């Protein structure tokens, strides 16, 4: 019932598949693992695009003004380190301390800004939508 050519075709297909799959397997091995970002210390400047987040307070249910800065990956100072990420956090949640800081950030949403970091930690609570949380900060320059 089977033809002699069927075996030749099957053998050809297996060899062809092995030849085409070998370079892809080697490329995956050669691919470099992502390198951690530059370390960031208190007093350094972090630049990136500012986004507004819609978060409600867990206790009162009121809307809380919160902003997110998307930047290049950065390592945090010990003991936080990489925040259980391979390259360090890329999104930083800016928590305004007062209404003046909210008024300062509101017109900058969607723009590139620079922020001087005074206190930063890894996100650990359920309501935090970023990888790291910046609790003390100040806007340095507007681009």
């Amino acid at each position: 019932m089977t033809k002699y050519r069927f075996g030749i075709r099957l053998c050809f297909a297996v060899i062809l598949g092995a030849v085409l799959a070998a370079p892809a397997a080697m490329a995956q091995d050669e691919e470099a693992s992502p390198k951690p970002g530059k370390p960031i210390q208190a007093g350094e400047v972090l630049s990136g695009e500012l986004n507004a987040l819609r978060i409600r307070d867990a206790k009162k249910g009121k809307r809380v003004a919160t902003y997110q800065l998307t930047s290049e990956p950065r390592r945090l100072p010990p003991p936080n380190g990489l925040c259980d990420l391979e390259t360090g956090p890329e999104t930083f949640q800016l928590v305004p301390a007062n209404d003046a800081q909210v008024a300062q950030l509101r017109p900058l949403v969607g723009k590139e800004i620079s922020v001087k970091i005074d206190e930063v930690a890894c996100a650990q609570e359920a309501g935090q939508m970023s990888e790291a949380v910046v609790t003390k900060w100040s806007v340095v320059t507007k681009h």
Side-chain angles (χ1 to χ4, degrees), residues 84-141:
D84 296 330
L85 301 168
E86 290 182 22
T87 59
E90 294 180 9
T91 57
F92 297 85
Q93 182 173 340
L94 299 177
V95 180
N98 52 38
D99 292 337
Q101 287 184 335
V102 173
Q104 186 180 22
L105 289 179
R106 189 172 289 137
L108 301 175
V109 172
K111 299 179 183 173
E112 292 282 326
I113 67 165
S114 298
V115 176
K116 181 180 174 186
I117 303 295
D118 292 327
E119 193 173 300
V120 62
C122 291
Q124 296 176 351
E125 296 177 16
Q128 297 168 338
M129 298 178 73
S130 299
E131 298 162 346
V133 178
V134 180
T135 53
K136 293 184 181 178
W137 52 270
S138 59
V139 175
V140 177
T141 52

Side-chain angles (χ1 to χ4, degrees), residues 46-51 69-72 107-115 139-143:
L46 182 67
S47 298
E49 183 180 349
L50 184 69
N51 299 311
L69 186 69
T70 306
S71 178
E72 63 185 15
L108 301 175
V109 172
K111 299 179 183 173
E112 292 282 326
I113 67 165
S114 298
V115 176
V139 175
V140 177
T141 52
K142 300 175 190 176
H143 293 288

